[in-house]
Amino acid sequence: MRAHYGQPRQPAMIDPKRVLRALAEHWSLLDPLCERFDSGTLSLVELRAQLAAQRGTADAAEITALLDQWIRLDILVPVAKSPNRFELNAQIHDFLAYLRREHRLGLCLEIEAYLRHLERLAGHIQEAFAQRDSQDLARQLRLLDMRVRDVLKKLANDEQALVAVAERAKTSDRQIPLRQRYAEVLATWDEYVEPMIQLVAADGAFEQGVRRAEQVLLHLLGEQQRLGQLVDDDLLLRTHARILDMQTTAQLTLRRARELLLPLREEARRHNA
């Protein structure tokens, strides 16, 4: 039975084994999609184009069958009030992110993309509250919380990757030339640490994103006391606390990066002088 895009479906029990089988069978397609969904939702047209490019086929029936399967299994879920846009089920997203984790030092642009999404979600939260839509408000708050957790995971991953860069630079293994070890330190400083300094600065994108989300949550807490609750205050307070944790973690990650790499950077400069 084919799923109908944009039509509400009756809740049904989904066999976990079928979901796991689909995730395993379609891993090569879902892995890059997971990265795309990190930056926001996708329309049906965007999904079809992405899958056609990945599969190397423009067979519309084949792609439709694949999307139908993912929608039936709740791997893909329609966005409230935008039924022709889709996102990964939050639990599926977290599971895939767990499977994909590796200590790879990404670019600060990845964190910046998360922060821009946080700002967009803060706007959606305001809209849902203004419309007194408790279901959409709770959903947008869960998405905000999920994105904050994504940033926390990335920062933890980045710190491990920075430790690995420092350890490789200090290794006594003669198979890794000194010039190569220093080159990695200098590249990491230029490509990660310097942009991170700009990102976490008082006028940087990180602080702007945190302030925007924090202002919205605190405003909601005050308005709920005045107009009545749409969601549990504890949900707002927990999300607010996690955002502050994210802010502190970013500052600590930057401090750790400087402690690990600044002495090695200076040593590399002396060596290259």
Side-chain angles (χ1 to χ4, degrees):
M1 181 177 175
R2 177 164 297 179
H4 297 286
Y5 303 131
Q7 296 300 316
R9 295 172 295 125
Q10 292 301 316
M13 292 295 292
I14 296 173
D15 182 358
K17 291 180 181 177
R18 291 180 63 202
V19 176
L20 289 172
R21 262 199 310 274
L23 293 178
E25 183 182 349
H26 302 141
W27 173 257
S28 62
L29 299 173
L30 288 165
D31 185 21
L33 270 180
C34 195
E35 293 187 12
R36 288 288 306 276
F37 278 117
D38 282 345
S39 299
T41 63
L42 291 175
S43 70
L44 195 55
V45 171
E46 290 168 329
L47 277 168
R48 287 183 180 280
Q50 175 87 7
L51 291 173
Q54 289 174 218
R55 292 177 71 92
T57 176
D59 187 330
E62 185 179 322
I63 291 172
T64 296
L66 185 60
L67 290 171
D68 282 345
Q69 181 185 5
W70 291 354
I71 292 168
R72 282 199 308 272
L73 293 175
D74 269 355
I75 293 172
L76 281 180
V77 292
V79 176
K81 298 185 180 177
S82 300
N84 288 319
R85 296 196 70 83
F86 292 82
E87 61 192 356
L88 279 179
N89 180 311
Q91 285 74 31
I92 296 292
H93 178 280
D94 280 357
F95 180 54
L96 292 179
Y98 170 79
L99 294 177
R100 294 164 62 237
R101 79 179 192 269
E102 55 179 336
H103 297 320
R104 173 187 61 83
L105 188 60
L107 297 174
C108 278
L109 286 175
E110 296 176 46
I111 297 177
E112 192 166 354
Y114 280 132
L115 291 165
R116 296 305 181 202
H117 193 207
L118 286 181
E119 290 189 65
R120 289 196 298 274
L121 286 171
H124 296 330
I125 288 168
Q126 275 190 314
E127 291 172 10
F129 186 80
Q131 295 168 7
R132 309 296 289 168
D133 188 335
S134 59
Q135 287 189 338
D136 192 36
L137 178 59
R139 177 180 162 279
Q140 297 295 343
L141 284 167
R142 285 194 299 271
L143 286 173
L144 181 68
D145 185 68
M146 184 174 76
R147 286 293 172 260
V148 172
R149 285 186 283 122
D150 285 338
V151 175
L152 286 167
K153 289 173 193 172
K154 167 138 180 51
L155 290 169
N157 173 83
D158 286 353
E159 184 164 336
Q160 291 300 314
L162 289 164
V163 169
V165 169
E167 287 176 348
R168 283 193 295 273
K170 292 185 284 191
T171 183
S172 58
D173 186 348
R174 297 194 176 191
Q175 291 184 341
I176 305 177
L178 194 63
R179 183 177 295 275
Q180 180 181 328
R181 300 203 299 266
Y182 283 149
E184 186 179 20
V185 169
L186 292 172
T188 300
W189 186 274
D190 291 343
E191 295 169 12
Y192 183 86
V193 181
E194 283 287 359
M196 190 69 168
I197 291 170
Q198 299 299 317
L199 197 67
V200 180
D203 59 347
F206 203 100
E207 291 300 309
Q208 289 176 11
V210 166
R211 278 199 300 271
R212 168 75 169 135
E214 187 178 15
Q215 286 169 357
V216 167
L217 293 176
L218 293 177
H219 176 71
L220 256 61
L221 278 167
E223 287 295 282
Q224 286 211 141
Q225 291 178 2
R226 188 172 69 87
L227 300 173
Q229 279 195 338
L230 282 180
V231 294
D232 192 337
D233 280 351
D234 284 346
L235 175 58
L236 294 171
L237 291 169
R238 283 196 306 270
T239 306
H240 180 245
R242 206 188 297 274
I243 286 171
L244 296 182
D245 183 33
M246 178 185 72
Q247 182 182 34
T248 301
T249 301
Q251 293 165 348
L252 291 175
T253 299
L254 178 57
R255 183 188 304 172
R256 180 71 167 144
R258 284 172 151 159
E259 290 171 353
L260 285 166
L261 297 183
L262 186 56
L264 293 168
R265 176 174 175 256
E266 295 306 313
E267 184 180 339
R269 284 182 161 182
R270 286 194 300 272
H271 177 76
N272 291 333

